[in-house]
Amino acid sequence: TLRTLFPYTTLFRSIDSGIDYYHEDLKDNIWNNNKEIPDNGIDDDKNGYVDDRNGWNFAYDNNNSYDDNSHGTHVSGTIAASSNGIGVVGVAPTVKIMALKVANSRGFLYTSDVINAIQYGVSNGVKLFNCSFGSKDFSQTEYDVIKSSNALFMCSAGNGDINQIGLDNDGLVKNYPASFDLPNIISVSSIDKNGYLSTFSNYGVVSVDIAAPGGSIYSTVPGGYGYKSGTSMATPHVTGVAALVLSEDMNLSPIEVKNRILKSTHKLPKLKNKIVTGAIVDAFGAMNLTRSEERRVGKECSQ
C-alpha cells in the first residue's frame, strides 16, 4: 500500500523522510546505535542492518537516513529542537530522535517499509512514534504491528480532499493509521492561530482525539529553518508532550501516557462536536496531572 507524507504547502522515533542529523538544532538529540561501529561494512550488532549507526533508510534499504525531502526534519524540530539559544526550541528539547527514513524525496512511502521501521524501533526500545503520513487504504499487517507494539503512536488525521478541504474521518473515507480503532493511537487534527479547525484538517467526533497548532509552523529544515502547515505539523506537538509525560515516569504504559494527555486538554468551543475531546493539547496540564499522579501513588505506597 502506498502512503504519503502530510505537508500542506530513545523516546521518540520519527517514521518519516529522514532527518538532517547535522542540523545545529538537532545534532545533539539524534539517537545513535552505539552497538554498531560506523562504516566498517559489518553488522556488528547482528540485527540484520549493516552500519545502522544513524538508524536506517527503509525506502532505499541502506544506512543513509538523511532527509532529502525536509518533512521529517521539520517534524523533528517541533518535537526535539535543542534549547541552545539558536533557531527554535522543541516541545521536548532533550528527547532523543531515531532517524528512520521510509519516504522518498517526493514524500511517498510504502506500508511495508513503515512496518519494518516500527519493528526496528520497537526492537531498540522506542516507546513513542510520530506518524505524520497516511492513506485511505487499510492494512491488516500494519494494524497488527501497531496493536502488538507496546508503544504509543501519534498519527495525523489527514489534510482533506484534493481541494484541501477537511474530511470527516467518521465517514466512509478513512485515513490510516490515524483511523485504526486501537487504544495506543492518538489521532491529531490541526487548528489555526485563531483556535478554529484548520480548513485543510480532517476531523471526527468519534475517531479524532485531539488538536494542536498546524498552520505556518516554523521549525527546522535541512540546513536551516522554514514554515510548513498541515496535520503533520500538529502531530509532533502531541508527540512532544507525550515525551515529556513519559520522561517523568518511564514505566508508564502507552495507554497511561495517552490518558494523561487526553485528560489534561484545553477545551476550545470552536472544536466542540468536531473531535473527541473538543480540545487542544496542553503540555502544562499533562505534566501537572502526571506529577499529581506520582505524588498520589507515592503517598499510597508510604502508608
Side-chain angles (χ1 to χ4, degrees), residues 89-106:
V89 179
V91 177
T94 60
V95 71
K96 291 294 182 183
I97 312 168
M98 184 182 288
L100 298 181
K101 178 177 171 60
V102 295
N104 62 23
S105 61
R106 297 175 58 202

Side-chain angles (χ1 to χ4, degrees), residues 39 105 167-168 205 248:
D39 303 321
S105 61
L167 299 172
D168 186 351
V205 73
E248 285 290 307

Side-chain angles (χ1 to χ4, degrees), residues 71-139:
H71 189 275
T73 301
H74 195 279
V75 165
S76 298
T78 298
I79 298 168
S82 299
S83 180
N84 53 12
I86 55 177
V88 296
V89 179
V91 177
T94 60
V95 71
K96 291 294 182 183
I97 312 168
M98 184 182 288
L100 298 181
K101 178 177 171 60
V102 295
N104 62 23
S105 61
R106 297 175 58 202
F108 294 108
L109 53 148
Y110 286 95
T111 303
S112 57
D113 292 332
V114 172
I115 291 167
N116 289 332
I118 292 171
Q119 292 171 332
Y120 182 103
V122 169
S123 70
N124 283 285
V126 172
K127 296 186 176 183
L128 302 175
F129 289 83
N130 189 92
C131 300
S132 289
F133 57 85
S135 165
K136 61 182 174 56
D137 297 316
F138 177 90
S139 165

Side-chain angles (χ1 to χ4, degrees), residues 190-269:
S190 169
I191 59 166
D192 63 21
K193 64 182 181 181
N194 296 313
Y196 287 96
L197 191 75
S198 300
T199 56
F200 57 76
S201 179
N202 289 2
Y203 53 93
V205 73
V206 173
S207 61
V208 179
D209 297 301
I210 200 167
S216 297
I217 303 300
Y218 191 65
S219 185
T220 50
V221 295
Y225 302 86
Y227 292 93
K228 290 183 185 292
S229 298
T231 54
S232 278
M233 285 61 251
T235 302
H237 286 90
V238 180
T239 304
V241 174
L244 291 176
V245 169
L246 190 58
S247 71
E248 285 290 307
D249 183 354
M250 291 295 292
N251 293 317
L252 291 174
S253 71
I255 308 307
E256 287 173 324
V257 175
K258 177 178 179 177
N259 287 340
R260 302 284 169 87
I261 293 171
L262 298 188
K263 289 180 179 179
S264 59
T265 56
H266 179 70
K267 299 287 185 181
L268 288 180

